[in-house]
Amino acid sequence: MNDHSKQLHFIEPASTDPDPGETAEWREALLSLANSQGPARARQILDELARLARQQRIGWQPELNTPYVNTIAVEDQPAFPGDLAIEERLASLMRWNALAMVVRANQAYGELGGHIASYASAADLFETGFNHFFRAGQQGDLVFFQPHSAPGVYARAFLEGRLSEADLLHYRQEITAPAEGARGLSSYPHPWLMPDFWQFPTGSMGIGPISSIYHARFMRYLTHRNLRNCEGRKVWGVFGDGEMDEPESMCALTLAAREKLDNLVWVVNCNLQRLDGPVRGNGRIIDELEKLFAGAGWNVIKLVWGSDWDGLFARDTSGALVRAFAHTVDGQMQTFAAKDGRFNRDNFFGQNEDLARLAQGMTDEQIDRLKRGGHDLVKIHAAYHAAAAHTGQPTVILAHTKKGYGMGSAGQGRMTTHSQKKFDGTDLIEFRNRFNLPLSDEQATGLAFFKPADDSVEMRYLREHRERLGGAMPRRETVCDVVPVPPIDAYATFALKADGKEMSTTMAFVRMLGGLLKDAQLGPRIVPIVADEARTFGMANLFKQVGIYSSVGQRYAPEDIGSVLSYREALDGQILEEGISEAGALASWTAAATSYSVHGLAMLPFYIYYSMFGFQRVGDAIWAAADQRSRGFLLGATSGRTTLGGEGLQHQDGSSHLVAATIPNCKAYDPAFAGELAVIVDAGMRDMLVDQRDVFYYVTLMNENYAQPDLPEGAAANVLKGGYRFGLFGDEKAARRVTLLGSGAILTEVIKAAAELTREGICAEVCSITSWSELARDGLNSPETTHLTRLLAEGSGPVVAATDYVRAVPESVRAFVPQGRAYHTLGTDGFGRSDTRAALRAHFQVDAASIVQQAKAALAH
């Protein structure tokens, strides 16, 4: 007993073995078999016994957890291929420069924030990848970096000469940096903010994990369709153990296993701490994750203890260490991380005589320096090497680390570690000493950045290893060939010259898509994506035309094989049918939408879905896709609050255009007619494939059939600007005049209202508003000559605007209505509900009768 704390005592469960002798015989038989005939034969016998147990209904199955030790035995470790001493020095420099960058920023501006502890725990995991595994370039690997560790990536880029000291001094100062000749460094990985540096945005927890899975699957898709050979390339992801609580992190694990994505490796940094404290204080997160990943079909590699423990395990003939670990929960592990060697001697090794004997001959400092596996470069390399070589399954490495590793009393393992941004002089000196940094006391307390001489052995080593792996990374490239887009008449004449034919805009889109898929140059680059709703949206005819992608082809005869619309899966299938997972489908869309950058191959994804299940359900993922500079089409089908009659509240969308307007590089349109839709699709393809602009299009579609007019001559340019004059109803010399604005599903009601008003002697001009958000942006960018002002210039009287969305959508353009003209808006505020379209439109007061009533009331005032 000592002053640190009272000792802990763990009680082993009482044995319930009724015949220990017989048990010993079984144990000896298995060991003898393994020793004489090898592990493969032992596994075969165990599999046979498990099969027999199931057959006899014994009610037993193997435990998915393994002991709390390294998966890779010492004798199975490959030789470390690098210079261990140099790599440890480099890792220490990365840690120091990352710490100095964050602390200096917060000394100057206390409000900037930043994180040190996450990278302190993950530094060795990053550095092993950088030095030996992460291959750069569009034919290299994809790496998803833990966002809170961004300072460490900047620290490496500083040593590589990609960032200057001035840049590091402007961490999280992106606006002020250019004025001082520096580059501001974004808080987390943001491709929009650092477009030549970061490839994947991971700052929103959980988005990185699911995105990495679908990127790995998309690489297989490209290979199987003979568009780009991605064989040999890997997707690496370094994520946090707390991040695994996010549903997006877990929701596609079975997809990765089912698709046998052995091009995917996750490294989960198990520092056992979330932002506020332990991840599983009363349990063990590594055990939990092992069970989860193994059950999902992943290859699991546990990287728990460093090389310093190998001797202890070798001397531990009684199994005392494994038993002690089995009864030590993460909350206690965190305490061990935060305390010194003396405390750990007394409270861990002091639990029983067997453990105490193992610690004999070790000083308190040696006990304090016992490394967890995620801080041992040799052990990390062995785990990465095994993961890279594994076939048939995705691999997860569960790496045990200490949060705030090396931060000592200032933050190692502390509850407050995640937010630690300040160090006093003593802490800085202690950190310097801990990692043997070549800094004077003055340099350490002054937070001086350190970069070895350009011709030093460390710098030569750094450059040589990265050159061998294809150059520096992360690095975002955008070089790709222009993809020719066919003339609009080749696939959309039926829509431009519809001649009153009845159809829905969804039907029109599917017909256009079918035509585009036949184009020899563009067709193969199109990626149709659905979340289990292809038949709902009339896309079943595409099953036969281009097939549904399957990595194993089609191993069954579908029930509807004789049908014209039969279900067809194929290895070279083009449609990505993602099942009931909007998050998965959006991740799949993002992988295709960024292929121009990630793979140097421009693809054009069209993801069609219930509009309610887009910006509302997976809006965070859409925002991340925008950050990633995605190019593609999102099609919100059955859109609006009244077009999808009987489905009700959770299916009826009244807000997606409001949310879409908040994303700077999203161009959102709500076309009412097929001709408008054709112009928008044509312009979008040219924007993204020919001009290679980093924008994406959100287009809402309806399932309501109505007469489709020809697109008026010369209207195309104004369709793209946000609106055009559809027609004049009544005598333009009439004393009472009104202008009606309508979009999407409600434009037909506006047209009916205009016809009714003419019967009462009121002249009504109707404008089709194809994009409220484009009108609003135009107004903000050119307030003196806005498109809406010009659109309304020839009319007079009040203006009434009606949409199938909340009133805030048409309200967004109020400021740009010409002065002197009253502006009234109608929309579908409130909750949706089930009924017929007519009843819904009357209820929300966006039907023709309500529009007439509003127009007459406006004229009366």
Side-chain angles (χ1 to χ4, degrees):
M1 196 79 66
N2 60 63
D3 294 333
H4 291 278
S5 171
K6 64 181 181 180
Q7 288 188 333
L8 303 170
H9 296 279
F10 301 106
I11 301 173
E12 298 230 20
S15 174
T16 57
D17 190 342
D19 192 342
E22 183 182 31
T23 302
E25 290 178 11
W26 279 95
R27 287 167 55 87
E28 290 167 6
L30 179 61
L31 290 172
S32 175
L33 178 68
N35 290 332
S36 62
Q37 300 188 41
R41 177 60 176 158
R43 286 195 297 270
Q44 185 179 26
I45 294 298
L46 289 172
D47 288 340
E48 175 62 21
L49 290 174
R51 185 194 65 77
L52 187 61
R54 286 193 296 271
Q55 189 180 67
Q56 296 298 315
R57 300 179 184 272
I58 291 174
W60 172 88
Q61 62 183 21
E63 172 61 52
L64 290 175
N65 278 133
T66 59
Y68 206 70
V69 297
N70 294 339
T71 300
I72 301 171
V74 177
E75 57 269 23
D76 295 329
Q77 290 177 193
F80 186 71
D83 187 309
L84 187 59
I86 292 178
E87 291 193 26
E88 287 181 340
R89 289 201 297 273
L90 284 169
S92 296
L93 291 177
M94 307 302 178
R95 278 192 173 90
W96 171 260
N97 287 328
L99 178 148
M101 178 174 59
V102 175
V103 175
R104 287 181 74 143
N106 283 278
Q107 282 183 346
Y109 308 96
E111 65 200 83
L112 290 177
H115 301 87
I116 300 169
S118 292
Y119 176 69
S121 69
D124 300 299
L125 301 173
F126 279 41
E127 286 304 303
T128 303
F130 277 127
N131 286 324
H132 301 285
F133 294 94
F134 299 163
R135 294 175 301 159
Q138 289 180 323
Q139 298 305 309
D141 297 337
L142 284 54
V143 183
F144 289 76
F145 293 99
Q146 187 179 18
H148 288 144
S149 295
V153 181
Y154 294 142
R156 169 169 268 267
F158 169 60
L159 289 197
E160 291 173 333
R162 301 173 65 200
L163 297 177
S164 68
E165 184 170 324
D167 297 333
L168 265 58
L169 287 170
H170 288 86
Y171 171 64
R172 294 193 170 194
Q173 298 163 64
E174 298 164 80
I175 297 172
T176 57
E180 298 181 32
R183 176 178 192 169
L185 305 182
S186 61
S187 54
Y188 305 124
H190 291 306
W192 193 266
L193 301 175
M194 297 180 70
D196 63 338
F197 194 91
W198 294 114
Q199 181 70 269
F200 305 109
T202 53
S204 186
M205 294 295 180
I207 299 296
I210 188 174
S211 185
S212 71
I213 290 174
Y214 280 89
H215 270 283
R217 203 281 302 270
F218 189 70
M219 288 163 69
R220 290 285 172 81
Y221 172 88
L222 291 177
T223 300
H224 289 156
R225 291 194 54 221
N226 296 312
L227 293 170
R228 178 75 77 203
N229 185 358
C230 297
E231 292 293 335
R233 299 171 63 191
K234 294 285 185 184
V235 179
W236 297 83
V238 183
F239 308 119
D241 48 356
E243 187 175 3
M244 293 299 106
D245 285 346
E246 292 284 6
E248 294 91 345
S249 298
M250 297 287 102
C251 69
L253 293 187
T254 53
L255 168 79
R258 184 172 68 247
E259 295 291 310
K260 297 180 171 58
L261 296 180
D262 51 19
N263 60 341
L264 176 67
V265 180
W266 280 13
V267 182
V268 180
N269 177 21
C270 298
N271 59 35
L272 316 185
Q273 286 187 250
R274 293 188 303 231
L275 279 65
D276 291 336
V279 177
R280 296 289 183 271
N282 295 305
R284 286 185 298 279
I285 187 63
I286 289 179
D287 285 353
E288 181 179 321
L289 293 178
E290 179 185 25
K291 188 177 294 186
L292 178 67
F293 280 94
W298 286 52
N299 174 43
V300 180
I301 297 175
K302 289 164 73 170
L303 173 59
V304 187
W305 306 112
S307 301
D308 299 335
W309 289 88
D310 289 342
L312 295 176
F313 279 111
R315 298 202 306 273
D316 181 21
T317 56
S318 69
L321 278 174
V322 173
R323 288 196 302 275
F325 292 145
H327 298 289
T328 305
V329 296
D330 284 355
Q332 191 59 44
M333 281 287 188
Q334 180 188 349
T335 300
F336 291 147
K339 302 296 185 179
D340 60 15
R342 178 64 183 278
F343 179 93
N344 284 285
R345 178 191 297 279
D346 293 339
N347 292 278
F348 179 75
F349 290 104
Q351 294 177 62
N352 56 56
E353 291 183 3
D354 288 338
L355 289 174
R357 275 195 296 270
L358 290 175
Q360 285 177 358
M362 296 178 69
T363 66
D364 289 347
E365 183 180 6
Q366 286 175 320
I367 292 175
D368 189 47
R369 297 237 175 177
L370 286 170
K371 288 181 179 178
R372 295 181 180 179
H375 300 306
D376 188 308
L377 299 178
V378 173
K379 296 291 187 183
I380 298 169
H381 178 271
Y384 284 18
H385 182 270
H390 188 77
T391 59
Q393 292 172 290
T395 293
V396 61
I397 297 169
L398 303 177
H400 194 195
T401 66
K402 294 180 181 180
K403 191 157 190 175
Y405 179 64
M407 290 168 62
S409 60
Q412 180 172 285
R414 306 277 174 179
M415 293 294 187
T416 57
T417 290
H418 186 79
S419 301
Q420 185 69 35
K421 302 168 186 66
K422 296 181 180 179
F423 285 72
D424 61 26
T426 303
D427 294 330
L428 293 168
I429 295 293
E430 184 181 333
F431 189 93
R432 179 203 63 184
N433 295 342
R434 172 67 180 80
F435 292 105
N436 196 26
L437 293 161
L439 299 168
S440 67
D441 287 357
E442 184 179 2
Q443 287 174 317
T445 55
L447 292 165
F449 295 119
F450 186 84
K451 185 176 184 180
D454 199 51
D455 62 348
S456 66
V457 64
E458 291 86 0
M459 294 298 284
R460 289 200 305 271
Y461 188 94
L462 184 79
R463 288 192 298 268
E464 287 169 5
H465 278 69
R466 283 316 309 165
E467 287 167 7
R468 197 178 304 154
L469 291 168
M473 72 177 319
R475 184 175 78 228
R476 183 176 178 274
E477 300 177 30
T478 58
V479 176
C480 70
D481 292 335
V482 167
V483 180
V485 173
I488 193 170
D489 290 340
Y491 62 90
T493 298
F494 77 93
L496 299 170
K497 297 181 167 63
D499 195 29
K501 183 179 179 179
E502 285 203 355
M503 72 179 84
S504 68
T505 52
T506 298
M507 287 175 56
F509 163 72
V510 173
R511 186 171 170 183
M512 289 179 212
L513 182 61
L516 291 169
L517 285 165
K518 294 174 184 175
D519 184 79
Q521 291 179 288
L522 175 62
R525 304 295 186 92
I526 291 175
V527 185
I529 301 172
V530 290
D532 200 46
E533 292 285 0
R535 295 185 192 276
T536 302
F537 304 133
M539 296 173 65
N541 62 309
L542 298 182
F543 293 165
K544 279 231 173 146
Q545 181 179 342
V546 294
I548 299 162
Y549 170 70
S550 166
S551 61
V552 296
Q554 191 163 35
R555 296 173 172 174
Y556 60 93
E559 170 274 328
D560 58 354
I561 194 168
S563 165
V564 176
L565 305 179
S566 65
Y567 201 79
R568 183 174 78 87
E569 298 186 68
L571 184 65
D572 62 349
Q574 200 158 345
I575 300 169
L576 290 173
E577 215 279 12
E578 301 297 5
I580 305 175
S581 173
E582 286 83 12
L586 202 283
S588 201
W589 179 85
T590 303
T594 55
S595 178
Y596 74 94
S597 169
V598 176
H599 307 295
L601 182 76
M603 301 294 287
L604 186 66
F606 289 87
Y607 170 31
I608 184 169
Y609 56 89
Y610 274 92
S611 66
M612 187 66 156
F613 301 155
F615 287 86
Q616 176 160 314
R617 189 156 185 172
V618 289
D620 190 22
I622 296 176
W623 183 260
D627 188 354
Q628 203 169 328
R629 309 177 84 100
S630 295
R631 301 173 184 172
F633 286 92
L634 296 176
L635 291 310
T638 58
S639 68
R641 189 151 276 162
T642 68
T643 188
L644 188 60
E647 291 285 358
L649 187 152
Q650 287 188 312
H651 284 64
Q652 293 171 343
D653 167 29
S655 56
S656 67
H657 274 284
L658 189 64
V659 183
T662 67
I663 300 180
N665 55 333
C666 173
K667 303 188 77 169
Y669 290 91
D670 185 30
F673 299 126
E676 298 170 358
L677 173 64
V679 168
I680 293 163
V681 170
D682 180 72
M685 291 191 297
R686 296 180 192 284
D687 251 2
M688 295 180 280
L689 296 177
V690 179
D691 298 334
Q692 298 191 357
R693 297 181 61 218
D694 293 345
V695 296
F696 68 98
Y697 278 57
Y698 174 58
V699 185
T700 39
L701 306 174
M702 276 73 71
N703 63 341
E704 182 178 1
N705 290 324
Y706 47 75
Q708 299 285 338
D710 293 354
L711 184 72
E713 201 71 36
N718 287 335
V719 166
L720 298 175
K721 291 177 182 176
Y724 66 97
R725 293 186 183 87
F726 176 79
L728 188 69
F729 293 74
D731 183 0
E732 63 180 329
K733 295 181 180 179
R736 294 187 298 168
R737 295 188 60 174
V738 65
T739 299
L740 305 180
L741 310 181
S743 69
I746 301 305
L747 182 59
T748 56
E749 298 293 327
V750 168
I751 293 169
K752 291 176 192 174
E756 176 61 29
L757 288 169
T758 62
R759 287 191 279 273
E760 299 189 30
I762 300 170
C763 177
E765 182 178 37
V766 173
C767 293
S768 174
I769 302 302
T770 52
S771 177
W772 299 98
S773 56
E774 287 300 299
L775 287 178
R777 286 174 182 169
D778 172 72
L780 292 171
N781 293 330
S782 53
E784 295 181 1
T785 57
T786 73
H787 180 64
L788 183 59
T789 302
R790 291 192 297 270
L791 194 62
L792 299 177
E794 296 180 14
S796 61
V799 180
V800 177
T803 79
D804 214 11
Y805 296 88
V806 294
R807 288 178 58 200
V809 173
E811 284 290 337
S812 66
V813 303
R814 175 179 290 277
F816 314 116
V817 175
Q819 289 187 355
R821 300 192 68 180
Y823 184 60
H824 303 271
T825 57
L826 300 174
T828 54
D829 292 68
F831 287 113
R833 55 208 68 209
S834 299
D835 215 307
T836 64
R837 290 191 184 108
L840 288 168
R841 288 169 183 170
H843 169 78
F844 285 109
Q845 297 183 333
V846 291
D847 62 338
S850 300
I851 296 167
V852 168
Q853 182 180 5
Q854 180 64 69
K856 291 165 66 175
L859 285 165
H861 284 82

